[in-house]
Amino acid sequence: MAEITIDATGISLTTIDPSIPSQHLGDRYIVVDIETGPLPDEELNDAIPAFQAKPRPGEFDPSSVKYGRMKDELKKRAKLEECIKSHEDLCARYETETEESRRKYYIEEKERAALSAITGKIICIGYGIGHEFTFDDGDGSEKVILSRFWRVFEKARKENKIIVGHHIAGFDVPFIWRRSKALDVKVPQGIISRGRLSSEHFIDTMDVWACGERQPKYTSLNSLARFLGVGGKTEDGKLFYQIWENDRDRALLYLENDIRLTSAVAYIILS
């Protein structure tokens, strides 16, 4: 039996595709995975460092031409004209190359933006209990997504359930907590204890896999799932926000698969 009931058109449940074989945890565990994207462009531009263009080429300086041991005046003149032409070409390319560099800079910043709560936002959260899967996109409101997550958390804590995720202690929950602070969403007491995320209510499968190493290496869900023989990711998570915008069904299949993989990984390493 699976159960999460958070209404006001809350978090509805659907059955995970039965054609996909899956191992899963018992009903005491709630598997969680967040999907993030960049802030809207106008907010993102304020949050990232401004693009720094290379200095514009100055006036051509004839004294900068290096003649070496060249004595022939005709050759020296040809050398000078060659340098003048090269400088003119450099000036002509400056605007085009600067604009291209600016474009690439903002594309790269936008792709990285989803990894930081300062430059990114939560698009949706996936939930899994047993074979059941649901997602919450807050009807487009990040504040609604955050508020409902904390309601799920408080319900889980009251019912002595554990929230499980891959890299949840290093990414998902800190991201949720930071975005909650940014948007003035109330966070339950006990999430942060002595400046650290409380481990009492969460299990991070990446931390479990690290076996207590002092400086554990990052192990992706995709690589761990494939190593354990339970499948792999279907998309590049960095581009989730683009898939979400262009093909909602495809995005939800990706999210559902992430929940299934996390559940299967947790089933193996917690057993």
Side-chain angles (χ1 to χ4, degrees), residues 36-49 105-106 108-122 142 171 175 178-179 182 241:
T36 63
L39 292 172
D41 288 348
E42 60 275 13
E43 294 180 49
L44 181 60
N45 290 341
D46 290 338
I48 62 176
Y105 171 78
Y106 283 110
E108 291 170 0
E109 287 295 321
K110 190 166 186 175
E111 288 180 352
R112 284 194 292 264
L115 299 177
S116 168
I118 294 174
T119 54
K121 65 177 182 177
I122 296 174
E142 188 182 14
F171 182 72
F175 201 108
R178 290 166 184 148
R179 291 303 296 168
Y241 74 95

Side-chain angles (χ1 to χ4, degrees), residues 16-68:
I16 289 179
D17 186 347
S19 69
I20 305 175
S22 67
Q23 298 163 306
H24 65 86
L25 300 169
D27 291 339
R28 187 183 172 219
Y29 299 93
I30 302 172
V31 180
V32 168
D33 182 46
I34 71 171
E35 297 299 341
T36 63
L39 292 172
D41 288 348
E42 60 275 13
E43 294 180 49
L44 181 60
N45 290 341
D46 290 338
I48 62 176
F51 171 73
Q52 298 294 320
K54 292 181 179 179
R56 184 183 297 275
E59 294 292 327
F60 178 72
D61 180 5
S63 67
S64 66
V65 180
K66 306 298 182 184
Y67 295 106

Side-chain angles (χ1 to χ4, degrees), residues 151-246:
R151 289 174 65 188
V152 169
F153 168 81
E154 289 189 297
K155 188 173 189 294
R157 179 163 62 178
K158 183 178 179 180
E159 296 174 356
N160 197 31
K161 292 184 177 181
I162 303 295
I163 293 177
V164 180
H166 192 78
H167 201 28
I168 195 173
F171 182 72
D172 299 63
V173 176
F175 201 108
I176 293 169
W177 183 86
R178 290 166 184 148
R179 291 303 296 168
S180 296
K181 293 299 181 181
L183 297 175
D184 197 27
V185 173
K186 185 177 179 181
V187 176
Q189 294 293 323
I191 299 298
I192 302 295
S193 176
R194 297 180 181 179
R196 298 179 66 85
L197 178 68
S198 170
S199 60
E200 180 182 353
H201 310 294
F202 303 99
I203 292 178
D204 186 331
T205 52
M206 194 175 86
D207 283 351
V208 175
W209 184 252
C211 297
E213 292 178 0
R214 289 188 177 182
Q215 295 181 320
K217 294 180 179 178
Y218 174 79
T219 305
S220 71
L221 174 62
N222 185 52
S223 60
L224 183 53
R226 290 188 183 282
F227 175 74
L228 294 175
V230 295
K233 282 181 172 279
T234 57
E235 306 278 358
D236 183 347
K238 290 189 303 182
L239 303 178
F240 180 86
Y241 74 95
Q242 294 180 4
I243 301 171
W244 180 263
E245 290 172 358
N246 298 315

